[in-house]
Amino acid sequence: MATAERAARTRVGRDRTEWSGPAAPVFGTRRGSCASSAGDCRCRLARRAACAAGGAPVHPLARCRGGQPGADRRGPRGRVPRRWHRARLGSTLRRGPVPHRIRGQAAVQRVAAGGAELRRDRAATGAVGARSAGPGVPRPAVGGVSGLAGHSQDTIVAPATPPGRGGIGIVRISGPAVRAIAGEMLGCVPAPRQATLAQFMGRDGEVLDHGLALYFPAPQSFTGEDVLELHGHGGPVVMDRLVARAVELGARPARPGEFSERAFLNGKLDLAQAEAIADLIAAGSTESAQAALRSLSGEFSRAVVELAARVMELRVFVEAAIDFPDEDVEFLGSAEVRERLADVATRFEHIERATSQGRVLRDGLRVVIAGRPNAGKSSLLNALAGQDAAIVTPIPGTTRDALREQIVLDGLPVQLVDTAGLRATTDPIESEGVRRAEGEIRAADLLLYVVDAAAGLDAAERAGLPVAPAVTIVWNKTDLAAALPAPPDPGVPVVTVSAMTGAGMPALREHLKEAAGYQPAGAGAWSARR
């Protein structure tokens, strides 16, 4: 027997202490009446094994001796093969997380069988992670779709700058025909990742424009394919001519988002990062842009990958307990398992908290201002917006159509919608305004129902409050001498303000942020979607 094989054995002393070392013989197990004898130490899971004579600690998932029926064993039934011995299993599992293919009793034994399958899974995971947009960014699940790279053999072209006029306009080309197109339009293929001053040529040698050309050879590019960017003048006619010339040379117009789609399919981005690109472009505040940038850099993806690894490690413990039900050690109630479970719960809470803030920053809060005519709805809109966005007159029914205004409260995007006064009327124009106001109320995240403090809120109006996901009564015109006190318990939150003098407006702004669940100090928010 080889020295390495003898070193992996485990022996049991007179005090029933388990050791791993050169002198530890391995015994078989026979199921039956003798299984419960005092001298039989089979099926013991060693939580902590002392090291003696170069011995190694025994992993708690390993069996003491023997095997379960149906296990993936290649040796005699009553004997654990030496290459699956628990001394090797412990050192194998301690080297890193167990991949998703390792599960169950038979799989635990396969892990101990030299770690070949474990190394193969880790190598595949590392290969995926190497295709990162930035250093240290893992790629969860993109390995499964990275095989779709090259799924489309056509070359795409589109302007990379917004429509309109500007000093600079960029046309991006991606695909296998980039080098040929560069040779026709520029006369040569530019040096990789170096800005090259060139003339952009047409069919008959006509100069379409001149500017900078940037060439990114595959796979070191945004899409993972050959990419050529033409930086010219930002006029729409110039951009159209450059795109048309690329189409003549074999490219086709790109679909919306197709460059990001190819980056995702080629393993350059994961799905969270691809969505973060659109969120970063559409960011409505500095905080939302920062949240999108964190997701784009891979923070969200790394947190999900780490959580999945912790859940898989915990799953190994649970499945081992299921596969070994007759063991005399209740390791599922051990401190180690409880600590792992608490760590998983903490990571879940952190991700949920960060993504909820990201959803608020991305989607914002849609606030509809409604109430009876002449209650001060338009004045409240102007006070929140900080400008005269709505016409204010003492004539009831001045506002006929919905008026929208976009504001930002400490980084929280808020869309304010002022509506027509709610009342029964025979005027067809005002009736249409009331109908549109009711539609805005149904689509609101928060309804601010404005009440004239001088008129009060009677029982009929209180019973007929519009139905919305969240309703807050704004007790307006508190600066008037005839103002009545706010009702003590109307069943919904009440905020007392004076839109004319500004009294109570800071409290109303804080209420809007609380209603959205927004925390301005949340610097760790990630851009996420519902």
Side-chain angles (χ1 to χ4, degrees):
M1 183 179 300
T3 302
E5 295 176 349
R6 290 196 304 270
R9 292 181 172 183
T10 301
R11 61 185 176 85
V12 181
R14 295 180 179 272
D15 56 352
R16 301 177 64 85
T17 302
E18 297 186 2
W19 301 80
S20 60
V26 178
F27 297 96
T29 287
R30 181 166 56 91
R31 299 186 178 273
S33 58
C34 63
S36 59
S37 62
D40 188 4
C41 297
R42 76 168 185 75
C43 298
R44 285 182 54 88
L45 290 175
R47 291 186 178 277
R48 196 184 300 269
C51 298
V58 180
H59 195 274
L61 295 183
R63 294 180 58 81
C64 179
R65 293 189 300 276
Q68 292 264 353
D72 184 12
R73 293 178 281 107
R74 295 174 176 80
R77 177 173 179 176
R79 183 183 180 93
V80 178
R82 298 185 184 97
R83 59 195 178 101
W84 295 340
H85 193 266
R86 61 178 179 169
R88 296 190 64 185
L89 172 62
S91 61
T92 301
L93 290 182
R94 283 195 302 270
R95 283 196 290 266
V98 181
H100 67 278
R101 294 174 57 191
I102 306 301
R103 59 170 64 92
Q105 170 189 345
V108 169
Q109 292 181 346
R110 287 200 300 272
V111 174
E117 183 174 1
L118 184 62
R119 289 193 298 270
R120 182 169 61 253
D121 285 350
R122 286 175 180 166
T125 305
V128 174
R131 296 190 299 272
S132 301
V137 180
R139 294 290 172 265
V142 295
V145 298
S146 60
L148 298 177
H151 69 289
S152 178
Q153 297 300 321
D154 52 354
T155 301
I156 57 176
V157 59
T161 47
R165 292 173 173 83
I168 298 176
I170 301 175
V171 172
R172 178 181 292 171
I173 310 171
S174 177
V178 161
R179 295 177 61 87
I181 293 176
E184 292 290 336
M185 295 187 66
L186 308 176
C188 64
V189 179
R193 291 174 292 280
Q194 294 184 11
T196 304
L197 181 63
Q199 292 182 336
F200 309 149
M201 309 300 295
R203 177 183 301 178
D204 301 325
E206 176 190 8
V207 178
L208 304 178
D209 194 9
H210 63 273
L212 298 178
L214 285 171
Y215 171 60
F216 303 92
Q220 303 299 327
S221 67
F222 174 74
T223 62
E225 306 169 336
D226 288 342
V227 173
L228 177 66
E229 291 185 356
L230 304 177
H231 297 232
H233 296 88
V237 175
V238 176
M239 295 290 100
D240 291 343
R241 296 183 70 187
L242 293 178
V243 171
R245 177 57 176 159
V247 171
E248 289 179 1
L249 296 175
R252 65 165 177 82
R255 294 179 283 102
E258 189 169 2
F259 288 98
S260 298
E261 177 188 12
R262 292 196 175 194
F264 169 72
L265 294 177
N266 291 333
K268 307 299 289 187
L269 299 172
D270 59 29
L271 186 58
Q273 291 174 306
E275 292 178 342
I277 295 176
D279 296 342
L280 181 60
I281 295 173
S285 65
T286 303
E287 287 75 8
S288 60
Q290 291 176 346
L293 192 59
R294 293 188 194 99
S295 293
L296 180 59
S297 65
E299 287 188 18
F300 187 15
S301 303
R302 282 194 293 271
V304 173
V305 169
E306 292 173 0
L307 174 61
R310 300 300 182 273
V311 171
M312 184 56 61
E313 292 173 3
L314 184 62
R315 176 181 174 181
V316 170
F317 278 86
V318 175
E319 291 193 357
I322 296 175
D323 290 339
F324 297 93
D326 55 346
E327 302 295 345
D328 58 352
V329 179
E330 296 293 336
F331 71 91
L332 281 183
S334 65
E336 180 180 4
V337 175
R338 289 196 299 268
E339 291 175 0
R340 289 175 179 268
L341 187 59
D343 178 64
V344 169
T346 302
R347 291 175 182 272
F348 266 116
E349 293 175 359
H350 173 65
I351 292 177
E352 193 278 334
R353 184 168 55 253
T355 53
S356 63
Q357 290 295 301
R359 287 194 300 268
V360 170
L361 288 172
R362 176 185 177 273
D363 299 335
L365 183 67
R366 193 169 188 271
V367 179
V368 174
I369 304 174
R372 289 186 173 181
N374 221 26
K377 300 183 297 299
S378 298
S379 298
L380 182 63
L381 172 68
N382 293 340
L384 288 172
Q387 60 179 348
D388 293 335
I391 298 175
V392 178
T393 70
I395 304 174
T398 300
T399 302
R400 300 295 183 93
D401 203 353
L403 178 62
R404 292 172 174 82
E405 188 71 18
Q406 191 77 23
I407 65 172
V408 177
L409 298 178
D410 292 339
L412 172 65
V414 178
Q415 184 185 35
L416 301 174
V417 183
D418 184 21
T419 60
L422 302 177
R423 66 174 177 178
T425 178
T426 58
D427 186 347
I429 299 178
E430 189 174 358
S431 297
E432 178 62 21
V434 172
R435 187 191 66 82
R436 296 189 180 189
E438 293 172 348
E440 296 290 346
I441 291 173
R442 288 191 294 269
D445 296 324
L446 174 64
L447 171 63
L448 296 182
Y449 190 82
V450 184
V451 177
D452 186 350
L457 181 67
D458 55 26
E461 186 177 3
R462 181 183 304 182
L465 286 177
V467 178
V471 179
T472 297
I473 293 178
V474 179
W475 201 257
N476 193 20
K477 301 184 181 182
T478 57
D479 58 307
L480 298 179
L484 300 175
D489 187 16
V492 295
V494 178
V495 181
T496 58
V497 302
S498 173
M500 187 62 64
T501 64
M505 294 304 299
L508 179 59
R509 293 187 178 93
E510 290 298 325
H511 176 75
L512 294 180
K513 291 185 289 186
E514 292 176 2
Y518 176 62
Q519 299 175 358
W526 299 318
S527 177
R529 307 194 177 197
R530 298 184 188 274

